[in-house]
Amino acid sequence: MASKANRRKFLRTTGVGVAATAALSSVAQALCAESRAASRTIKIIAVSGSPRKGKTTAASLQIALEAAKAVDPERIETELIELADMKLNGNMAAGIPLEPGQRDDFPELAAKLAQPEVGGVIVGSPVYFGSMTSLCKAFLDRCISLRMRQFALANKVGGAVAVGGVRNGGQELTLQAIQAALMCQEMVVVGDGRPTCHTGATVWNSGRDDISQDEFGVSTVKNLGRRVAEVALKIAGAK
Ligand SMILES: Cc1cc2nc3c(=O)[nH]c(=O)nc-3n(C[C@H](O)[C@H](O)[C@H](O)COP(=O)(O)O)c2cc1C
């Protein structure tokens, strides 16, 4: 009896009881945070920089989004945005104002990309003379406003898709140009995952606006979509 009382007194005076309670509560908090992270929905957005709506770049990005969704259908939402639908004035990136009556759709797009639930952004462009289209560049240039807004795209996963009319028509140069812009946003840039595992998705429009015959290119697109989703989930889990 006396020894139990002494033990209680010892624990009280040394603060061991308090420390144990604090440790238990921090374990509980960590478990709660983990389960909150595990249940959080993540959105992966693909942006097509083709001026031609619904063509080979859009088709490639759709495949990437399907592969992303397949990683965890319950937690991953996807959306394809086609810049062909929008009016984007690239000069505004340099502070040049719109002409009276001109429309500009960038603010709405920027707000969508900056949402915290967006875990990944995949940017796709046709190859135009060895680089991205002017539309895609205008979009990436306008994203300077997100950089100035406390790096609103930071730590979102970035991926790139390039579609060319020939097998080696400059897809890798186009990927590099897109990726450079994404890195300037402090995004976490990834390539196509295993087993192809290189610097991104390189697609060949080998038919008449048809990518389905380019088996290798389509596999790079799938591996990119999957990789973007996997890394986005890891980052969300670590928060
Ligand atoms: C102005 C222009 C330049 C192009 N330059 C290239 C090129 O350098 N390399 C290439 O492989 N394809 C080139 N192409 C072909 C397109 O990249 C290809 O048709 C692509 O699939 C178009 O994408 P979309 O179907 O989404 O519009 C060019 C097309 C145009 C209109």
Side-chain angles (χ1 to χ4, degrees):
M1 213 38 184
S3 83
K4 267 192 186 166
N6 283 343
R7 190 164 176 272
R8 270 201 301 275
K9 191 175 169 196
F10 171 77
L11 289 174
R12 253 199 321 274
T13 50
T14 55
V16 170
V18 175
T21 312
L24 276 175
S25 109
S26 65
V27 168
Q29 276 171 11
L31 285 172
C32 281
E34 206 169 282
S35 86
R36 266 201 310 276
S39 61
R40 204 183 298 140
T41 304
I42 288 174
K43 194 162 184 185
I44 311 282
I45 293 183
V47 179
S48 169
S50 173
R52 299 195 312 151
K53 197 176 171 199
K55 298 295 186 183
T56 58
T57 307
S60 303
L61 290 170
Q62 199 58 61
I63 293 169
L65 291 178
E66 279 160 22
K69 176 96 185 156
V71 171
D72 189 341
E74 305 227 313
R75 287 187 63 202
I76 294 189
E77 283 177 13
T78 61
E79 183 177 350
L80 173 65
I81 295 174
E82 300 211 50
L83 299 181
D85 283 333
M86 297 180 181
K87 291 270 178 247
L88 291 181
N89 184 314
N91 289 350
M92 287 186 80
I96 297 165
L98 284 178
E99 301 282 333
Q102 262 190 331
R103 191 179 106 194
D104 183 68
D105 293 326
F106 185 74
E108 203 182 317
L109 173 56
K112 191 173 256 194
L113 294 172
Q115 285 171 337
E117 63 265 31
V118 175
V121 179
I122 303 174
V123 177
S125 177
V127 183
Y128 276 14
F129 296 135
S131 194
M132 70 182 93
T133 61
S134 56
L135 181 59
C136 191
K137 188 70 167 74
F139 159 67
L140 291 171
D141 287 350
R142 291 294 301 279
C143 286
I144 194 171
S145 65
L146 292 170
R147 191 177 191 272
M148 288 156 80
R149 234 188 287 158
Q150 294 184 319
F151 286 83
L153 297 178
N155 297 325
K156 297 185 194 294
V157 181
V161 174
V163 189
V166 290
R167 175 67 269 174
N168 300 304
Q171 283 87 340
E172 286 175 330
L173 293 169
T174 305
L175 292 182
Q176 279 185 352
I178 294 171
Q179 288 165 345
L182 302 184
M183 280 191 265
C184 292
Q185 299 284 350
E186 226 180 40
M187 292 180 76
V188 180
V189 175
V190 299
D192 50 320
R194 291 175 234 172
T196 50
C197 198
H198 286 96
T199 55
T202 50
V203 187
W204 174 25
N205 174 4
S206 48
R208 284 173 158 246
D209 289 339
D210 176 22
I211 57 162
S212 64
Q213 294 162 45
D214 179 22
E215 208 177 305
F216 175 79
V218 169
S219 68
T220 64
V221 169
K222 288 181 181 168
N223 295 335
L224 177 83
R226 193 196 68 237
R227 177 87 181 129
V228 167
E230 284 171 352
V231 177
L233 286 172
K234 276 189 197 297
I235 289 173
K239 273 181 193 162

